[in-house]
Amino acid sequence: MNMQAPEIMADDSEQASSLPAVTSQIEDIVAARDAALAKITEAAATLEAAYTLTDEANAFARKAQCGRKYWGIDRTHNKHYEHLSQQGFDAAQSVETYRRQLDASVWSYLLEETGIRDLMDATGSREFDQGLREEVPPVTVQDVRATFETWMCNADLTFARGLAVAFARLDSRFKSHDAFKLGSRMIVDRAFSEYSGSFNRSWAEETIIDVERVFAKLDEQAPAGRGLIQEIDADRRGYGPQQSLTESRFFRIRGFMNGNAHLWFTRDDLVTKANQVLADYYGEVIPDAAPKDEDSAAFTKRTNLPSKDLQFYHTPAKAAAKVVDHLRYQEGQHILEPSAGTGHLVRPLLEKGHKVTAIEIHADRVRQLREHEGPQCSVIHGNFLNQPANPIYDAVIQNPPFFRTHWMDHLRHAYDFLKFGGQLIAIVPASAEVGQSKAHIQFRRWAEKANGGRSWGMFTDLPTESFAEAGTNINTVIFKVTKQN
């Protein structure tokens, strides 16, 4: 990238600058935490001993009562009586529950004190809190230092990820690395209830807070949090649809009778910074496609001459599983994988019992694919775009090249290999769904026509950073059409 994204933490010394205040507290925090656990462990042991004595007392009482019980008034349900006994008390389990609550509270405090939570979008923050519900790591000096030093070193990535997620929620075009740039105005659909006129708390509030948080951090200011929401609420008095106008330090927000809101960004310098962060986070796709006139020989090493190479973005296992799940359930289908790579989609298809034909242009990857060759799998070494279309396949499943619009050429060619009723399922950049270029619009028109005039269900989002392990943060979607007769 030629564009350098602004760093939220400018250099290593500044990156660590938020840590000293916490670092000086770590020993005290852990010491207090350890003391609390020691005391609660002692208390639990004392309670356990006390309840044992209570059980012994009750045994003597039953002997003294000779099996009789006074029914004039049943004092066994009096709270003071019940406090003497605790059925099923487990000292170890109670101490562990106490520890989990204590450590979760400490981790949450440290996340806020270091400013890391301010860098997260609402979804990331919620996922962190959800993680503490399921598993709470013990708070130790070593773990706290290691965890937060890692978080501070990754502060820029955390912020960039949060920015990308926040704006993708605001406008679907932000899902693409190349389809949209932040401009002077954004539209928030259904920000307010069309009946009561109040905020749609389910998502609009989080979206507004996230957007304000991004601009505040870019301006090196503290986020307003719900303060901005309170300002908007104050400008929308009464019940029912209404217009409103709120001025904040970064935005002018106008609410409309139909429930939509328009946001005007009043700081062009921050808009530029936000676009730089998005560009750096998504990055550029390195060429990963062979042109149609290139044959496989160019990618094979010959004597002392180097072979050509292409950037390879393999399909991560979770993404591959989601793609295969979109396949219509039918045993023993004949499936074409025309961008087979090293077999990340081939393997799950074979495991499902399907017959697979795999095509790959790169010789080294073909050698790996041949490990799967057999009665259920055939491998073709060649350029898929040069293969003559033969409509014999029940499905084509692929992760085509992402570079520029090469994926369009691959998908159009792949469609011609399908039987009538066959499925074309592919992982493509999110720009396939939201791109506004002439090529993207024409592609979606072709796809809708190829799918029998239906556009619903053609695109399904994959989770953010689904391809991070493959070397790109580009948002991706699953594309699916069925060939019509």
Side-chain angles (χ1 to χ4, degrees):
M1 296 292 294
N2 295 324
M3 191 177 295
Q4 181 62 42
E7 294 185 353
I8 306 308
M9 303 295 178
D11 54 41
D12 289 343
S13 61
E14 287 188 34
Q15 242 178 30
S17 64
S18 296
L19 279 177
V22 175
T23 301
S24 63
Q25 299 179 55
I26 289 177
E27 287 81 359
D28 292 339
I29 289 173
V30 174
R33 175 260 188 194
D34 290 346
L37 286 181
K39 288 294 185 182
I40 204 66
T41 301
E42 182 181 351
T46 302
L47 284 172
E48 190 170 45
Y51 292 141
T52 299
L53 290 175
T54 298
D55 290 340
E56 293 176 2
N58 288 335
F60 281 116
R62 286 191 292 274
K63 186 175 182 181
Q65 295 165 192
C66 299
R68 299 296 181 92
K69 186 175 183 180
Y70 173 63
W71 294 103
I73 181 172
D74 187 0
R75 298 180 179 85
T76 60
H77 296 298
N78 183 286
K79 65 179 182 180
H80 299 294
Y81 190 104
E82 290 179 337
H83 287 168
L84 291 171
S85 177
Q86 182 64 48
Q87 296 297 324
F89 177 72
D90 185 323
Q93 187 61 48
S94 296
V95 170
E96 172 59 15
T97 301
Y98 184 94
R99 181 205 68 80
R100 290 164 64 90
Q101 179 63 23
L102 172 60
D103 285 348
S105 299
V106 173
W107 283 118
S108 184
Y109 163 76
L110 292 173
L111 187 75
E112 293 169 6
E113 187 68 11
T114 54
I116 295 295
R117 194 182 286 276
D118 285 342
L119 301 180
M120 294 178 169
D121 65 285
T123 301
S125 182
R126 190 161 48 247
E127 288 175 352
F128 173 84
D129 291 333
Q130 181 63 40
L132 290 180
R133 293 181 186 179
E134 298 169 357
E135 183 176 351
V136 185
V139 175
T140 66
V141 171
Q142 182 178 2
D143 285 350
V144 169
R145 282 181 173 158
T147 298
F148 281 91
E149 283 175 3
T150 299
W151 279 11
M152 296 307 290
C153 288
N154 292 332
D156 290 327
L157 177 60
T158 300
F159 176 76
R161 182 187 298 118
L163 188 155
V165 171
F167 282 99
R169 292 181 66 190
L170 188 63
D171 190 305
S172 63
R173 290 172 292 179
F174 276 111
K175 293 189 295 185
S176 168
H177 67 295
D178 60 1
F180 194 63
K181 289 185 181 297
L182 184 61
S184 61
R185 186 189 72 163
M186 297 295 298
I187 298 175
V188 183
D189 292 330
R190 306 181 310 281
F192 308 104
S193 168
E194 58 184 304
Y195 302 106
S196 68
S198 59
F199 248 118
N200 279 325
R201 306 291 180 185
S202 59
W203 77 276
E205 180 176 313
E206 278 191 356
T207 301
I208 298 295
I209 290 174
D210 265 347
V211 171
E212 196 277 340
R213 173 189 57 80
V214 166
F215 277 76
K217 297 305 291 184
L218 288 172
D219 199 38
E220 300 180 1
Q221 303 292 325
R226 291 206 75 258
L228 176 59
I229 302 301
Q230 292 168 356
E231 289 182 39
I232 298 173
D233 282 341
D235 292 325
R236 295 179 65 82
R237 297 185 178 92
Y239 184 89
Q242 57 188 284
Q243 293 186 339
S244 62
L245 179 64
T246 301
E247 301 275 354
S248 77
R249 54 183 173 170
F250 306 123
F251 317 118
R252 186 169 69 255
I253 306 169
R254 183 178 293 278
F256 292 89
M257 299 284 286
N258 63 1
N260 292 344
H262 290 191
L263 274 69
W264 284 267
F265 302 117
T266 57
R267 291 280 302 276
D268 290 342
D269 59 324
L270 299 183
V271 170
T272 299
K273 286 184 177 180
N275 279 322
Q276 289 176 342
V277 172
L278 284 171
D280 189 69
Y281 173 71
Y282 285 130
E284 291 182 314
V285 177
I286 300 171
D288 61 347
K292 186 175 181 179
D293 58 0
E294 194 82 78
D295 61 29
S296 58
F299 300 88
T300 304
K301 190 170 183 178
R302 303 183 301 281
T303 63
N304 293 325
L305 298 177
S307 65
K308 286 188 178 182
D309 204 353
L310 295 171
Q311 179 68 17
F312 175 49
Y313 300 104
H314 72 264
T315 308
K318 290 183 179 179
K322 289 183 179 293
V323 171
V324 174
D325 285 345
H326 276 69
L327 187 64
R328 183 189 305 114
Y329 179 74
Q330 182 179 334
E331 292 184 357
Q333 297 189 74
H334 190 187
I335 298 175
L336 174 65
E337 213 292 41
S339 309
T342 55
H344 287 74
L345 283 170
V346 171
R347 285 189 288 275
L349 290 171
L350 291 174
E351 289 169 2
K352 294 284 187 178
H354 300 299
K355 182 179 180 181
V356 180
T357 297
I359 302 176
E360 173 57 42
I361 192 171
H362 200 281
D364 288 342
R365 293 195 276 273
V366 167
R367 279 191 285 274
Q368 295 182 59
L369 282 171
R370 293 205 186 282
E371 296 177 4
H372 303 290
E373 209 163 22
Q376 290 298 106
C377 181
S378 59
V379 177
I380 298 173
H381 183 196
N383 186 340
F384 167 61
L385 295 179
N386 287 334
Q387 303 297 314
N390 188 7
I392 62 171
Y393 296 97
D394 299 297
V396 178
I397 292 186
Q398 64 180 141
N399 169 19
F402 285 1
F403 187 56
R404 294 178 182 165
T405 57
H406 286 288
W407 53 269
M408 295 185 189
D409 298 330
H410 280 250
L411 264 58
R412 286 174 181 266
H413 192 44
Y415 184 83
D416 293 334
F417 285 75
L418 291 171
K419 298 176 180 178
F420 288 123
Q423 291 179 290
L424 171 57
I425 306 173
I427 297 175
V428 293
S431 59
E433 179 183 11
V434 300
Q436 297 301 305
S437 72
K438 184 177 180 180
H440 286 88
I441 293 171
Q442 288 179 340
F443 170 79
R444 287 194 292 273
R445 287 174 179 168
W446 166 83
E448 184 175 342
K449 183 177 180 181
N451 199 40
R454 296 188 300 272
S455 61
W456 184 86
M458 284 200 309
F459 297 99
T460 303
D461 287 348
L462 282 171
T464 301
E465 296 185 343
S466 286
F467 274 73
E469 72 174 60
T472 178
N473 285 325
I474 288 177
N475 281 325
T476 51
V477 295
I478 296 175
F479 169 78
K480 181 175 71 174
V481 295
T482 301
K483 189 171 185 177
Q484 304 300 311
N485 190 338

